[in-house]
Amino acid sequence: MKVTEHINGAKETKISFEILPPLKGKTIESIYNHLDPLMDFKPAFINVTYHRSEQVFKKKPDGTFEKIEIRKRPGTVGICAAIMNHYKIDAVPHLICGGFNVQETENALIDLAFLGIDNVLLLRGDASKNEAVFEPEENGHAYAIDLIKQAVNLNHGIYLEDDIRDGNKTNFCIGIAGYPEKHFEAPNLQSDLNYLKMKVDAGADYITTQMFFDNNKYFEFVKNCRAIGIQVPIIPGLKPITSKKQLNVLPRIFHVDIPNELSNEIIKCKTDAEVEIVGTEWLLQQSKELKKAGVPVLHYYTLGKPHVVVNVAKQIA
């Protein structure tokens, strides 16, 4: 079932979760242990992030170094298939531009279609750790809009090989990311919104936002989107703050602001256990306000802290 079908058929706000693939060497049971306590809340779907390979230098016996690629969190497609089989709910794999050429992207989309996965969240992805700026693969996509166009082409039965006639038409529901506080590479918010509209016009079906901690920024973002003609559903992305170090880490990595009221309360905390209490209450109040406003879905970035989201979901269900 498509994400948009979950939304359009809903009488009230739904819940969804986002998880990381486990580190290489871990089993699927680590995913089930993470998700089991969340299943009581009947999520509409589960997002599974994708992580590109990293280039590292490994020392050889002769003392020289060789550059190798490793992927620390493989298995996004397999995890999605396992989730759908195990829990009988929809999974949404992320696909990114980084690390794929266009042929590999097409093959990944074909694999998803074979598995009956009809939802994808398409992203450019971040630069590699050894890159100052994002660099696409050779013969790969540089921008998310190009990835969207490739998925839309497959939905119309258009493949990379010109000699494929009457190719199977896939049925992907395409999600994209939105940034209430603008993407950090955009020169300004209006420019970012214009690029977002281009992606919607290219065929994106819904938007999931980057995390935010001030609901007014989400409401203003939705208002601005509607003003320029973006009419697809806009799902708010939410994350709990559970440690003091996140006061610096989250703004640096995700380029989001933390409201003064929240940061002041966290600074007063003596332990991360106290921070978690503050962060849980903040997330709860965010969730209640957003649900009251009639948002289509509350999308929680669980990312290793499912118990915090469980404590919030219990009070808004």
Side-chain angles (χ1 to χ4, degrees), residues 3 6 21 23 52 73 83 91 96-97 133 153 193 208:
V3 168
H6 282 290
L23 290 168
R52 67 183 298 176
R73 294 183 184 271
I83 287 172
I96 61 176
C97 297
V133 295
N153 278 343
L193 288 168
T208 299

Side-chain angles (χ1 to χ4, degrees), residues 18-282:
E18 185 160 311
I19 63 170
L20 298 168
L23 290 168
K24 186 181 290 186
K26 302 291 185 180
T27 70
I28 193 65
E29 293 302 321
S30 64
I31 292 294
Y32 297 155
N33 292 338
H34 183 99
L35 287 175
D36 281 349
L38 298 169
M39 289 301 107
D40 289 341
F41 307 104
K42 297 179 173 56
F45 50 89
I46 304 292
N47 278 33
V48 183
T49 61
Y50 185 90
H51 297 260
R52 67 183 298 176
S53 58
E54 299 175 11
Q55 293 182 339
V56 298
F57 289 90
K58 185 176 181 180
K59 191 172 184 178
K60 298 165 66 175
D62 63 3
T64 62
F65 290 83
E66 64 175 336
K67 185 168 65 174
I68 61 173
E69 288 199 356
I70 61 171
R71 182 164 290 145
K72 294 182 177 179
R73 294 183 184 271
T76 296
V77 174
I79 290 167
C80 286
I83 287 172
M84 291 175 68
N85 179 65
H86 188 75
Y87 294 110
K88 311 303 178 189
I89 65 171
D90 290 302
V92 183
H94 293 194
L95 285 184
I96 61 176
C97 297
F100 285 95
N101 61 39
V102 294
Q103 192 68 54
E104 291 167 334
T105 296
E106 180 172 273
N107 291 338
L109 289 166
I110 290 171
D111 286 346
L112 292 173
F114 285 163
L115 290 166
I117 297 171
D118 56 4
N119 294 292
V120 287
L121 190 80
L122 303 182
L123 309 160
R124 187 199 70 179
D126 297 324
S128 292
K129 289 183 178 179
N130 61 326
E131 294 175 347
V133 295
F134 177 84
E135 295 288 345
E137 286 289 299
E138 184 177 353
N139 197 31
H141 295 308
Y143 302 102
I145 192 169
D146 300 313
L147 187 55
I148 295 163
K149 289 176 180 177
Q150 185 171 7
V152 169
N153 278 343
L154 276 185
N155 279 352
H156 290 108
I158 302 171
Y159 290 73
L160 294 174
E161 290 83 357
D162 292 336
D163 59 348
I164 295 178
R165 298 286 184 266
D166 300 319
N168 174 64
K169 295 180 180 180
T170 56
N171 192 33
F172 291 115
C173 176
I174 298 170
I176 56 173
Y179 298 84
E181 298 173 64
K182 92 170 183 64
H183 191 278
F184 73 99
E185 294 178 6
N188 54 67
L189 184 57
Q190 189 59 51
S191 172
D192 201 28
L193 288 168
N194 292 338
Y195 283 119
L196 185 64
K197 186 174 189 301
M198 288 170 63
K199 288 185 258 189
V200 171
D201 291 344
D205 297 296
Y206 70 95
I207 297 164
T208 299
T209 77
Q210 172 67 282
M211 70 184 74
F212 56 89
F213 298 95
D214 180 350
N215 284 354
N216 288 327
K217 293 187 176 180
Y218 168 80
F219 294 134
E220 186 68 16
F221 175 70
V222 173
K223 177 183 174 183
N224 290 335
C225 284
R226 302 303 185 225
I228 64 170
I230 297 174
Q231 298 301 328
V232 299
I234 302 175
I235 297 171
L238 301 166
K239 176 180 173 59
I241 291 182
T242 57
S243 69
K244 262 192 175 181
K245 69 178 183 180
Q246 287 178 306
L247 282 181
N248 304 114
V249 171
L250 293 178
R252 185 178 74 249
I253 295 178
F254 297 101
H255 307 277
V256 295
D257 286 338
I258 296 177
N260 189 55
E261 181 184 352
L262 176 57
S263 63
N264 284 344
E265 289 302 310
I266 291 173
I267 289 169
K268 293 177 187 176
C269 295
K270 293 182 173 59
T271 65
D272 282 347
E274 293 179 1
V275 174
E276 188 172 296
I277 293 171
V278 171
T280 300
E281 180 60 27
W282 189 273

Side-chain angles (χ1 to χ4, degrees), residues 13 215 238 282-293 295 298 300 312 316:
T13 298
N215 284 354
L238 301 166
W282 189 273
L283 181 62
L284 175 60
Q285 296 309 316
Q286 272 195 279
S287 301
K288 286 182 175 180
E289 183 180 27
L290 290 164
K291 184 176 181 180
K292 185 177 180 180
V295 300
L298 294 170
Y300 293 103
V312 169
I316 61 170

